Amino acid sequence: MKALILVGGFGTRLRPLTLSVPKPLVDFANKPIILHQIEALVKAGVTDIVLAVNYKPEVMAAVLKKYEDEFGITITFSIEEEPLGTAGPLALARSVLGKDDSPFFVLNADVTCEYPFENMRDFHLAHGGEGTILATKVEEPSKYGVIVMRQGTTQIDRFVEKPVEFVGNRINAGIYIFNPSILDRIELRPTSIEKEIFPQMASDGQLHTFDLEGFWMDIGQPKDFLTGTCLYLSSLAKRSPELLAPATEAYVCGGNVLVHPTAKIGEGCKIGPNVTIGPNVVIGNGVCLQRCVLMEDTTIKDYAWVKNSIVGWHSSVGRWSRLDGVTVLGDDVHVLDEVYVNGASVLPHKSISTNVCEPGIVM
């Protein structure tokens, strides 16, 4: 089987993290976002993966070569000369996606969930239609484009954009499986799969929906990255609790704490709920961490407090300092002692010596 991952451009929504690392390689729960997806695709029998990108970062090519060797798969870049929307990339990658009769997955690189690729594949093959959309249920469907199904079936009848009256609560989760025949519907030009291709397929009775169980999140911007981390850790607590720090650890406060084995944690810390601690992180004494992500090689000094924040690689937070309000420190940022930072996006290689009380970009 094959898969196309829609990566896109420079990951501007997730800056300042993506100023140092391409978005698919940003660590999510201590491994690159794209590795979560590759592992799940390989489990479902995928051997060929295409990355649809607007540019080819050399660092990404080197890392993906390692994944090719590790999983015994082929990963190719499909580089768009101009943005091709959400359907055009399928036409551009036709040589791989259409090389045989087997179906292929398409997924958005920003989406995290429990990736039910195996069940989705079996469901798709059983109904015999041309395409299957993964759907997630939401509490406020009026904010989204809603999927309306034919009564008593999984077949999609139509899509209603931001409905005023309740017509359903299923929305497109950004993960699909298609037969190669879909490629005959798509020209090599900027095309929206949601607005131009799916309505055609639905009217032909060729499009079905498969319900996603469990969590779903687009983690393409910092506040959603943090929410997605919380959802992922809660899911991990149910599926593989042995991967999380045990509640018996003195520092665990509220659960859902993921700690890399190389991290060092001081005395009298209160960590949790919903905290990810990366490789070679050093945490001092009396530190308080809540709902935050600490990337590789970060240092949190004694009695600091980090909440609702992402601390980028090789950064440090000084003694008695405090981060809050979706603060994001880029690579190699150093917050000095007794400094308060609220909602700042701090670009790489900066030093913060005075309070930042209002959310904004620190250049």
Side-chain angles (χ1 to χ4, degrees), residues 244-259 265-266 268-275 277 287 289:
L244 297 172
T248 50
E249 283 282 4
Y251 61 77
V252 172
C253 185
N256 291 2
V257 178
L258 180 65
V259 182
I265 298 172
C269 294
K270 296 287 184 194
I271 301 177
N274 300 313
V275 174
I277 298 171
V287 167
L289 304 174

Side-chain angles (χ1 to χ4, degrees), residues 98-173:
K99 71 176 184 176
D100 58 32
D101 292 336
S102 69
F104 59 86
F105 291 101
V106 175
L107 57 149
N108 187 318
D110 292 345
V111 167
T112 182
C113 62
E114 289 177 13
Y115 302 123
F117 294 131
E118 292 166 281
N119 292 341
M120 200 174 168
R121 173 201 63 204
D122 296 344
F123 171 79
H124 176 77
L125 293 172
H127 70 61
E130 192 171 67
T132 303
I133 294 178
L134 187 67
T136 185
K137 294 177 183 177
V138 293
E139 290 180 7
E140 289 188 51
S142 60
K143 292 180 181 175
Y144 303 93
V146 172
I147 298 167
V148 181
M149 294 173 345
R150 294 182 185 175
Q151 202 163 3
T153 73
T154 61
Q155 211 172 63
I156 294 173
D157 181 57
R158 67 191 191 280
F159 300 87
V160 180
E161 193 61 37
K162 296 183 179 170
V164 178
E165 294 180 355
F166 184 84
V167 291
N169 64 345
R170 287 177 175 82
I171 66 163
N172 177 348

Side-chain angles (χ1 to χ4, degrees), residues 11-19 220-226 308-312 315 322-335 340-352 354-363:
T12 51
R13 293 189 305 152
L14 201 53
R15 284 178 178 166
L17 300 175
T18 49
L19 293 170
Q221 53 191 357
K223 70 180 176 63
D224 297 332
F225 189 95
L226 286 167
N308 292 322
S309 297
I310 302 170
V311 181
S315 294
R322 175 175 170 176
L323 308 186
D324 202 351
V326 195
T327 287
V328 185
L329 306 186
D331 180 25
D332 184 38
V333 169
H334 302 284
V335 176
Y340 171 58
V341 183
N342 175 42
S345 288
V346 186
L347 272 57
H349 316 299
K350 300 289 171 198
S351 185
I352 306 289
T354 57
N355 292 347
V356 181
C357 298
E358 295 298 324
I361 297 169
V362 178
M363 301 179 72

